[in-house]
Amino acid sequence: MSLNGSAYIVGAYEHPTRKADDLSVVRLHADVAKGALEDAGLSKGDIDGYFCAGDAPGLGTTTMAEYLGLKLRHVDSTECGGSAPILHVAHAAEAIAAGHCNVALITLAGRPRAQMAAAQATAKEGKGGKAPLALRPPDTDAPELAFELPFGPATQNLYAMVAKRHMFEFGTTSEQLAWIKVAASHHAQHNPHAMLRDVVTVEDVVNSPMVSDPLHRLDCCVMSDGGGAIIVARPEIARQLKRSLVKVRGTGEAPKHGMGGKIDLTYSAAAWSGPLAFAEAGITPADIQYASLYDSFTITVLMQLEDLGFCKKGEGGKFVADGNLISGVGKLPFNTDGGGLCNNHPANRGGITKIIEAVRQLRGEAHPAVQVPNCALALANGIGGALASRHTAGTLILERV
């Protein structure tokens, strides 16, 4: 079943906070839900489908439905990290096409930055005790832990492994990766909510402290609180609302893992999710006018550009150089809100903001300095997990109609 045209995004909202000292996680979810409903011109009584992932507290969909006062006939708690909201849009379109719901709400929210600050303050004051629950290692019997934990895997060194391999295989340089951060900073300067608004240079990036060779501090995303929400609706409902129409034209999802030891660090699961989305949409990468790409690290962006077909494998470094991702300058404007590298990365899950900025671009509501003229086709891609171990990619192609 093709999802092309089966559903429309009618509401989108991003929480303005970047550090939520006085807001609970459930309150953040509620705030973004309210914002998305107001953006769509709907009420909570119109919602009959709800989607969230592991960032939602308690029993997830059940806890949030009770807190928000929702009467639902369809829920989905698919969990795949930062790419979950992109999969949720696809799953919402599937549910709508199957008649399981008419209007679906998707929320994401969290406060890791505030929690970390509180934990550090407690430690500094010498109060002792256990760290807050959200900061403790999860109690799990995941089968990979016994084989991986002895080697000390961390998010930054897992992505550094991928960057190092890409450099070895294709001659990619730190300077080329730095151009991705430079482009993001050029966009973030126009976003009053962005955590890092200063424009940086290639030299600034490569001269920033090394975090995990070859990734420097400015190759890494920010850590923020906040969140966002999306509302997906049946086409006939969308056409009745006073909103620009944003059609779900193509979707794709795919996991990648160790595959029994057949490990190749030179590609991501986007190499599988991307072609699925383009095939459903009936277009090619050359048709995309704006791209929201998951940017936990600069290497994450470069890998997606290659795997989604914007350039050939191994040519990502050349593709991003000299400002090719800067709106108004380059061939493919990306992350015009500043992305995770400069704007925000709420709950350490950046997928929701990728959808929101793509919707802004298609509606013509991005900042005038970064708005893509007559933007009609946009792509949002998420990576949930770690490129060097296991992750899920979600690809979403949206169209203004």
Side-chain angles (χ1 to χ4, degrees), residues 342-356:
C342 293
N343 177 25
N344 67 335
H345 191 221
N348 297 326
R349 297 162 173 257
I352 198 83
T353 57
K354 302 299 171 275
I355 305 168
I356 293 170

mmCIF file with all atom_site columns, all heavy atoms in Angstrom, residues 342-356:
data_model
loop_
_atom_site.group_PDB
_atom_site.id
_atom_site.type_symbol
_atom_site.label_atom_id
_atom_site.label_alt_id
_atom_site.label_comp_id
_atom_site.label_asym_id
_atom_site.label_entity_id
_atom_site.label_seq_id
_atom_site.pdbx_PDB_ins_code
_atom_site.Cartn_x
_atom_site.Cartn_y
_atom_site.Cartn_z
_atom_site.occupancy
_atom_site.B_iso_or_equiv
_atom_site.pdbx_formal_charge
_atom_site.auth_seq_id
_atom_site.auth_comp_id
_atom_site.auth_asym_id
_atom_site.auth_atom_id
_atom_site.pdbx_PDB_model_num
ATOM 1   N N   . CYS A 1 342 ? 23.622 23.385 16.236 1.00 0.00 ? 342 CYS A N   1
ATOM 2   C CA  . CYS A 1 342 ? 23.625 24.755 16.761 1.00 0.00 ? 342 CYS A CA  1
ATOM 3   C C   . CYS A 1 342 ? 22.336 25.157 17.478 1.00 0.00 ? 342 CYS A C   1
ATOM 4   O O   . CYS A 1 342 ? 22.374 25.993 18.380 1.00 0.00 ? 342 CYS A O   1
ATOM 5   C CB  . CYS A 1 342 ? 23.857 25.747 15.618 1.00 0.00 ? 342 CYS A CB  1
ATOM 6   S SG  . CYS A 1 342 ? 25.488 25.665 14.851 1.00 0.00 ? 342 CYS A SG  1
ATOM 7   N N   . ASN A 1 343 ? 21.208 24.599 17.083 1.00 0.00 ? 343 ASN A N   1
ATOM 8   C CA  . ASN A 1 343 ? 19.924 25.043 17.626 1.00 0.00 ? 343 ASN A CA  1
ATOM 9   C C   . ASN A 1 343 ? 19.535 24.250 18.867 1.00 0.00 ? 343 ASN A C   1
ATOM 10  O O   . ASN A 1 343 ? 19.649 24.725 19.986 1.00 0.00 ? 343 ASN A O   1
ATOM 11  C CB  . ASN A 1 343 ? 18.833 24.936 16.553 1.00 0.00 ? 343 ASN A CB  1
ATOM 12  C CG  . ASN A 1 343 ? 17.459 25.313 17.078 1.00 0.00 ? 343 ASN A CG  1
ATOM 13  O OD1 . ASN A 1 343 ? 17.336 26.064 18.041 1.00 0.00 ? 343 ASN A OD1 1
ATOM 14  N ND2 . ASN A 1 343 ? 16.427 24.779 16.468 1.00 0.00 ? 343 ASN A ND2 1
ATOM 15  N N   . ASN A 1 344 ? 19.067 23.037 18.676 1.00 0.00 ? 344 ASN A N   1
ATOM 16  C CA  . ASN A 1 344 ? 18.663 22.208 19.813 1.00 0.00 ? 344 ASN A CA  1
ATOM 17  C C   . ASN A 1 344 ? 18.621 20.739 19.420 1.00 0.00 ? 344 ASN A C   1
ATOM 18  O O   . ASN A 1 344 ? 18.599 20.383 18.235 1.00 0.00 ? 344 ASN A O   1
ATOM 19  C CB  . ASN A 1 344 ? 17.307 22.638 20.372 1.00 0.00 ? 344 ASN A CB  1
ATOM 20  C CG  . ASN A 1 344 ? 16.170 22.382 19.386 1.00 0.00 ? 344 ASN A CG  1
ATOM 21  O OD1 . ASN A 1 344 ? 16.378 22.320 18.180 1.00 0.00 ? 344 ASN A OD1 1
ATOM 22  N ND2 . ASN A 1 344 ? 14.960 22.265 19.882 1.00 0.00 ? 344 ASN A ND2 1
ATOM 23  N N   . HIS A 1 345 ? 18.634 19.903 20.443 1.00 0.00 ? 345 HIS A N   1
ATOM 24  C CA  . HIS A 1 345 ? 18.573 18.447 20.266 1.00 0.00 ? 345 HIS A CA  1
ATOM 25  C C   . HIS A 1 345 ? 17.757 17.926 21.441 1.00 0.00 ? 345 HIS A C   1
ATOM 26  O O   . HIS A 1 345 ? 18.278 17.286 22.352 1.00 0.00 ? 345 HIS A O   1
ATOM 27  C CB  . HIS A 1 345 ? 19.997 17.876 20.262 1.00 0.00 ? 345 HIS A CB  1
ATOM 28  C CG  . HIS A 1 345 ? 20.080 16.451 19.838 1.00 0.00 ? 345 HIS A CG  1
ATOM 29  N ND1 . HIS A 1 345 ? 20.906 15.536 20.463 1.00 0.00 ? 345 HIS A ND1 1
ATOM 30  C CD2 . HIS A 1 345 ? 19.454 15.761 18.857 1.00 0.00 ? 345 HIS A CD2 1
ATOM 31  C CE1 . HIS A 1 345 ? 20.793 14.359 19.882 1.00 0.00 ? 345 HIS A CE1 1
ATOM 32  N NE2 . HIS A 1 345 ? 19.913 14.463 18.917 1.00 0.00 ? 345 HIS A NE2 1
ATOM 33  N N   . PRO A 1 346 ? 16.437 18.213 21.452 1.00 0.00 ? 346 PRO A N   1
ATOM 34  C CA  . PRO A 1 346 ? 15.626 17.965 22.642 1.00 0.00 ? 346 PRO A CA  1
ATOM 35  C C   . PRO A 1 346 ? 15.565 16.495 23.037 1.00 0.00 ? 346 PRO A C   1
ATOM 36  O O   . PRO A 1 346 ? 15.358 15.616 22.190 1.00 0.00 ? 346 PRO A O   1
ATOM 37  C CB  . PRO A 1 346 ? 14.235 18.478 22.232 1.00 0.00 ? 346 PRO A CB  1
ATOM 38  C CG  . PRO A 1 346 ? 14.230 18.434 20.739 1.00 0.00 ? 346 PRO A CG  1
ATOM 39  C CD  . PRO A 1 346 ? 15.647 18.736 20.334 1.00 0.00 ? 346 PRO A CD  1
ATOM 40  N N   . ALA A 1 347 ? 15.774 16.244 24.313 1.00 0.00 ? 347 ALA A N   1
ATOM 41  C CA  . ALA A 1 347 ? 15.732 14.891 24.867 1.00 0.00 ? 347 ALA A CA  1
ATOM 42  C C   . ALA A 1 347 ? 16.767 13.978 24.227 1.00 0.00 ? 347 ALA A C   1
ATOM 43  O O   . ALA A 1 347 ? 16.627 12.761 24.241 1.00 0.00 ? 347 ALA A O   1
ATOM 44  C CB  . ALA A 1 347 ? 14.338 14.281 24.723 1.00 0.00 ? 347 ALA A CB  1
ATOM 45  N N   . ASN A 1 348 ? 17.809 14.560 23.657 1.00 0.00 ? 348 ASN A N   1
ATOM 46  C CA  . ASN A 1 348 ? 18.834 13.807 22.923 1.00 0.00 ? 348 ASN A CA  1
ATOM 47  C C   . ASN A 1 348 ? 18.229 13.016 21.765 1.00 0.00 ? 348 ASN A C   1
ATOM 48  O O   . ASN A 1 348 ? 18.744 11.975 21.372 1.00 0.00 ? 348 ASN A O   1
ATOM 49  C CB  . ASN A 1 348 ? 19.593 12.863 23.862 1.00 0.00 ? 348 ASN A CB  1
ATOM 50  C CG  . ASN A 1 348 ? 20.342 13.620 24.936 1.00 0.00 ? 348 ASN A CG  1
ATOM 51  O OD1 . ASN A 1 348 ? 20.838 14.721 24.694 1.00 0.00 ? 348 ASN A OD1 1
ATOM 52  N ND2 . ASN A 1 348 ? 20.421 13.049 26.127 1.00 0.00 ? 348 ASN A ND2 1
ATOM 53  N N   . ARG A 1 349 ? 17.136 13.547 21.211 1.00 0.00 ? 349 ARG A N   1
ATOM 54  C CA  . ARG A 1 349 ? 16.425 12.904 20.103 1.00 0.00 ? 349 ARG A CA  1
ATOM 55  C C   . ARG A 1 349 ? 16.020 13.998 19.109 1.00 0.00 ? 349 ARG A C   1
ATOM 56  O O   . ARG A 1 349 ? 15.080 14.740 19.353 1.00 0.00 ? 349 ARG A O   1
ATOM 57  C CB  . ARG A 1 349 ? 15.168 12.186 20.609 1.00 0.00 ? 349 ARG A CB  1
ATOM 58  C CG  . ARG A 1 349 ? 15.443 11.040 21.573 1.00 0.00 ? 349 ARG A CG  1
ATOM 59  C CD  . ARG A 1 349 ? 14.180 10.679 22.347 1.00 0.00 ? 349 ARG A CD  1
ATOM 60  N NE  . ARG A 1 349 ? 14.385 9.475  23.140 1.00 0.00 ? 349 ARG A NE  1
ATOM 61  C CZ  . ARG A 1 349 ? 13.912 8.276  22.793 1.00 0.00 ? 349 ARG A CZ  1
ATOM 62  N NH1 . ARG A 1 349 ? 13.217 8.129  21.676 1.00 0.00 ? 349 ARG A NH1 1
ATOM 63  N NH2 . ARG A 1 349 ? 14.126 7.232  23.552 1.00 0.00 ? 349 ARG A NH2 1
ATOM 64  N N   . GLY A 1 350 ? 16.703 14.066 17.987 1.00 0.00 ? 350 GLY A N   1
ATOM 65  C CA  . GLY A 1 350 ? 16.507 15.208 17.105 1.00 0.00 ? 350 GLY A CA  1
ATOM 66  C C   . GLY A 1 350 ? 15.522 15.046 15.972 1.00 0.00 ? 350 GLY A C   1
ATOM 67  O O   . GLY A 1 350 ? 15.370 15.952 15.149 1.00 0.00 ? 350 GLY A O   1
ATOM 68  N N   . GLY A 1 351 ? 14.823 13.917 15.880 1.00 0.00 ? 351 GLY A N   1
ATOM 69  C CA  . GLY A 1 351 ? 13.968 13.679 14.726 1.00 0.00 ? 351 GLY A CA  1
ATOM 70  C C   . GLY A 1 351 ? 12.799 14.634 14.587 1.00 0.00 ? 351 GLY A C   1
ATOM 71  O O   . GLY A 1 351 ? 12.441 15.047 13.476 1.00 0.00 ? 351 GLY A O   1
ATOM 72  N N   . ILE A 1 352 ? 12.172 15.017 15.716 1.00 0.00 ? 352 ILE A N   1
ATOM 73  C CA  . ILE A 1 352 ? 10.977 15.855 15.644 1.00 0.00 ? 352 ILE A CA  1
ATOM 74  C C   . ILE A 1 352 ? 11.291 17.228 15.066 1.00 0.00 ? 352 ILE A C   1
ATOM 75  O O   . ILE A 1 352 ? 10.520 17.788 14.288 1.00 0.00 ? 352 ILE A O   1
ATOM 76  C CB  . ILE A 1 352 ? 10.308 15.988 17.029 1.00 0.00 ? 352 ILE A CB  1
ATOM 77  C CG1 . ILE A 1 352 ? 8.866  16.467 16.891 1.00 0.00 ? 352 ILE A CG1 1
ATOM 78  C CG2 . ILE A 1 352 ? 11.092 16.905 17.943 1.00 0.00 ? 352 ILE A CG2 1
ATOM 79  C CD1 . ILE A 1 352 ? 7.891  15.378 16.599 1.00 0.00 ? 352 ILE A CD1 1
ATOM 80  N N   . THR A 1 353 ? 12.452 17.787 15.425 1.00 0.00 ? 353 THR A N   1
ATOM 81  C CA  . THR A 1 353 ? 12.797 19.115 14.920 1.00 0.00 ? 353 THR A CA  1
ATOM 82  C C   . THR A 1 353 ? 13.102 19.086 13.424 1.00 0.00 ? 353 THR A C   1
ATOM 83  O O   . THR A 1 353 ? 12.935 20.096 12.744 1.00 0.00 ? 353 THR A O   1
ATOM 84  C CB  . THR A 1 353 ? 14.004 19.686 15.683 1.00 0.00 ? 353 THR A CB  1
ATOM 85  O OG1 . THR A 1 353 ? 15.117 18.787 15.564 1.00 0.00 ? 353 THR A OG1 1
ATOM 86  C CG2 . THR A 1 353 ? 13.682 19.876 17.150 1.00 0.00 ? 353 THR A CG2 1
ATOM 87  N N   . LYS A 1 354 ? 13.531 17.934 12.931 1.00 0.00 ? 354 LYS A N   1
ATOM 88  C CA  . LYS A 1 354 ? 13.785 17.829 11.496 1.00 0.00 ? 354 LYS A CA  1
ATOM 89  C C   . LYS A 1 354 ? 12.486 17.933 10.703 1.00 0.00 ? 354 LYS A C   1
ATOM 90  O O   . LYS A 1 354 ? 12.429 18.574 9.653  1.00 0.00 ? 354 LYS A O   1
ATOM 91  C CB  . LYS A 1 354 ? 14.501 16.508 11.175 1.00 0.00 ? 354 LYS A CB  1
ATOM 92  C CG  . LYS A 1 354 ? 15.825 16.346 11.910 1.00 0.00 ? 354 LYS A CG  1
ATOM 93  C CD  . LYS A 1 354 ? 16.792 17.463 11.525 1.00 0.00 ? 354 LYS A CD  1
ATOM 94  C CE  . LYS A 1 354 ? 18.030 17.463 12.401 1.00 0.00 ? 354 LYS A CE  1
ATOM 95  N NZ  . LYS A 1 354 ? 17.861 18.192 13.663 1.00 0.00 ? 354 LYS A NZ  1
ATOM 96  N N   . ILE A 1 355 ? 11.435 17.326 11.225 1.00 0.00 ? 355 ILE A N   1
ATOM 97  C CA  . ILE A 1 355 ? 10.134 17.418 10.567 1.00 0.00 ? 355 ILE A CA  1
ATOM 98  C C   . ILE A 1 355 ? 9.599  18.842 10.652 1.00 0.00 ? 355 ILE A C   1
ATOM 99  O O   . ILE A 1 355 ? 9.096  19.401 9.667  1.00 0.00 ? 355 ILE A O   1
ATOM 100 C CB  . ILE A 1 355 ? 9.135  16.448 11.212 1.00 0.00 ? 355 ILE A CB  1
ATOM 101 C CG1 . ILE A 1 355 ? 9.682  15.021 11.216 1.00 0.00 ? 355 ILE A CG1 1
ATOM 102 C CG2 . ILE A 1 355 ? 7.800  16.485 10.471 1.00 0.00 ? 355 ILE A CG2 1
ATOM 103 C CD1 . ILE A 1 355 ? 8.889  14.066 12.085 1.00 0.00 ? 355 ILE A CD1 1
ATOM 104 N N   . ILE A 1 356 ? 9.711  19.439 11.827 1.00 0.00 ? 356 ILE A N   1
ATOM 105 C CA  . ILE A 1 356 ? 9.154  20.776 12.040 1.00 0.00 ? 356 ILE A CA  1
ATOM 106 C C   . ILE A 1 356 ? 9.768  21.800 11.098 1.00 0.00 ? 356 ILE A C   1
ATOM 107 O O   . ILE A 1 356 ? 9.057  22.604 10.476 1.00 0.00 ? 356 ILE A O   1
ATOM 108 C CB  . ILE A 1 356 ? 9.345  21.201 13.511 1.00 0.00 ? 356 ILE A CB  1
ATOM 109 C CG1 . ILE A 1 356 ? 8.486  20.323 14.421 1.00 0.00 ? 356 ILE A CG1 1
ATOM 110 C CG2 . ILE A 1 356 ? 8.996  22.678 13.704 1.00 0.00 ? 356 ILE A CG2 1
ATOM 111 C CD1 . ILE A 1 356 ? 8.778  20.489 15.907 1.00 0.00 ? 356 ILE A CD1 1
#
